[in-house]
Amino acid sequence: MTRPKIYIDGQSGTTGLEIRQRLADRSDIDLLIIPEDRRHEEAARKQMFEEADLAFLCLPDEAAREAVQLAEGTGVRLIDASTAHRTAWTYGFPELDRNQEERIRQADKVANPGCHATGFIAAVAPLSRSGLLDPETVLTAFSLTGYTGGGKKMIAAYETGKTPQMEAPKAYGLDLNHKHLPEMMTICQLKQPPLFVPVVDDYPRGMLVLVPVSASQLTRKLTLEELQSYFSRWYEGTAVQVHPGNPSLFAADKAGTDDLELFVSGNDDGTGFVIAARFDNLGKGACGAAIRNMEIMLGLPRQA
C-alpha cells in the first residue's frame, strides 16, 4: 500500500518544526523534506506541492495565502496553521459537533484552529450553537499561555534574554482586537465580539482559557450540575474530557499532550459559572491539532 506523502511549507518555524519532528518517525506516511537552501524558491515549493498528498502551511497569513495560490491545480490537500482561512475553510476542530469530523475527512482545505480560540470555542460553542447562550451577549474571556505560543522571537526573549519584568505575567491585546476574534465569533455564531484578554507567562507550554458566564446570559435557568451534565453529553465520545468544577487550576498540567480538559465550575445558586479549557498551546492548540486533522483527512490511525 502506498503511503501518503506529506510536505510542510514553513518547516523551520515553531509549529512547522514541531510537526516535522513529530512526523519524522511515523511509518504510515512519507515526509517530503525540501532542501534548506531552496525552501524559499517557488519552483522547489511548487514541486513539493505536486508530489505531496497533503501539505501543512506553517506560515504568516500573507505567505499562507500566496502558498495556496502556488499550490492551486496540484491536487494537494491543505491544512493551514495561520489565521488566513479560519472563517472560510473547513474548521479543524473535530469535536465541534457530531458532523465536524466527517466534514474534515471530506475536505480538501482545512483551517487549523488558533490556540486561544481552541479553548474559547471548546467552552462556548456547546452553549451558543445549541441556543443556550443568547447570541447577542458579550462574553468575557481570559487566556493564560506559555511563551512558546509567541513563536521564535518570543521563545528567544524568554530563554536567552529575559528581563526581570518577564518573570511575571504579561497581559496583552488590551485594544480588544486580537487576531483570533473573527474565528471565535464565526465558529461560536456570536453576533458580538467577546472581551478577550490574553496573558503570557514565564513558563514554556500549557494554556488555560477561562470564560465566565452569568445565568442572565443563558436562555434558560440551569443549575451547576445540569450544566456539567450538558457539557458531558455534548462531548461524549470525543477527545475532549469534561470534569466537574475545580476551585483552582494550574495552566500547564496538560503540557506535552494533545488532550483538552474542560472544567465546568460555578456557585451553588446557579447565578454564575466559569467554563475553563486546559490544554497545551502547541499540542491541541497547534501541532497536535494539525496532525490529528491530517490523520482524519487521510484515514490514518490516531497516534498519541
Side-chain angles (χ1 to χ4, degrees):
M1 182 178 177
T2 303
R3 296 183 297 192
K5 295 180 173 61
I6 309 299
Y7 167 55
I8 304 168
D9 197 29
Q11 64 187 26
S12 63
T14 304
T15 300
L17 183 60
E18 177 150 333
I19 291 175
R20 176 177 173 175
Q21 292 170 340
R22 292 179 59 165
L23 294 183
D25 295 328
R26 286 187 70 139
S27 60
D28 56 352
I29 59 112
D30 287 327
L31 187 59
L32 304 178
I33 304 297
I34 191 169
E36 184 66 22
D37 61 350
R38 301 194 66 194
R39 62 187 179 91
H40 295 299
E41 294 180 15
E42 283 197 3
R45 293 168 62 209
K46 180 84 170 183
Q47 183 179 352
M48 291 287 106
F49 285 130
E50 290 172 344
E51 293 181 17
D53 296 291
L54 182 144
F56 295 97
L57 307 182
C58 301
L59 303 162
D61 286 8
E62 189 55 39
R65 295 186 185 98
E66 293 170 357
V68 172
Q69 294 179 350
L70 189 62
E72 195 69 33
T74 65
V76 67
R77 302 173 78 185
L78 300 174
I79 297 174
D80 183 12
S82 80
T83 66
H85 302 101
R86 286 180 182 157
T87 60
W89 289 7
T90 300
Y91 198 68
F93 188 62
E95 301 86 4
L96 184 63
D97 60 39
R98 297 301 179 190
N99 299 313
Q100 193 66 13
E101 184 167 327
E102 184 59 29
R103 296 186 190 106
I104 295 168
R105 183 174 289 108
Q106 296 180 9
D108 289 325
K109 294 182 173 67
V110 170
N112 208 56
C115 53
H116 297 291
T118 292
F120 181 85
I121 289 165
V124 175
L127 301 175
S128 60
R129 294 170 73 92
S130 66
L132 271 175
L133 184 74
D134 180 355
E136 293 283 0
T137 196
V138 178
L139 290 170
T140 299
F142 303 89
S143 184
L144 177 61
T145 182
Y147 59 75
T148 53
K152 280 188 169 182
K153 185 176 180 180
M154 183 175 287
I155 292 170
Y158 272 91
E159 295 186 351
T160 62
K162 185 169 62 179
T163 66
Q165 267 190 323
M166 294 164 68
E167 295 177 357
K170 172 190 171 185
Y172 64 103
L174 299 182
D175 57 358
L176 299 177
N177 192 31
H178 194 276
K179 65 179 182 178
H180 288 329
L181 289 180
E183 67 183 290
M184 291 176 177
M185 292 180 64
T186 299
I187 304 305
C188 291
Q189 301 174 347
L190 299 175
K191 295 183 179 180
Q192 304 295 333
L195 304 176
F196 171 62
V197 178
V199 180
V200 64
D201 200 1
D202 184 20
Y203 67 99
R205 298 174 67 143
M207 179 167 273
L208 184 66
V209 180
L210 304 166
V211 184
V213 178
S214 167
S216 63
Q217 294 173 302
L218 301 179
T219 56
R220 63 183 175 90
K221 185 171 178 59
L222 292 172
T223 67
L224 177 57
E225 184 177 353
E226 287 171 335
L227 191 60
Q228 291 168 344
S229 297
Y230 174 79
F231 273 95
S232 295
R233 291 194 304 272
W234 183 278
Y235 285 116
E236 186 177 5
T238 74
V240 175
Q241 307 154 19
V242 179
H243 303 292
N246 197 316
S248 62
L249 294 168
F250 287 99
D253 280 9
K254 302 310 290 183
T257 78
D258 291 338
D259 298 337
L260 189 150
E261 294 181 311
L262 207 64
F263 296 84
V264 183
S265 305
N267 50 32
D268 293 334
D269 60 13
T271 58
F273 309 98
V274 178
I275 318 300
R278 182 166 65 183
F279 54 103
D280 184 345
N281 54 287
L282 290 182
K284 183 62 172 173
C287 310
I291 291 171
R292 181 60 190 141
N293 284 320
M294 175 200 77
E295 292 168 341
I296 293 170
M297 293 170 74
L298 298 176
L300 300 175
R302 183 177 185 179
Q303 293 190 15

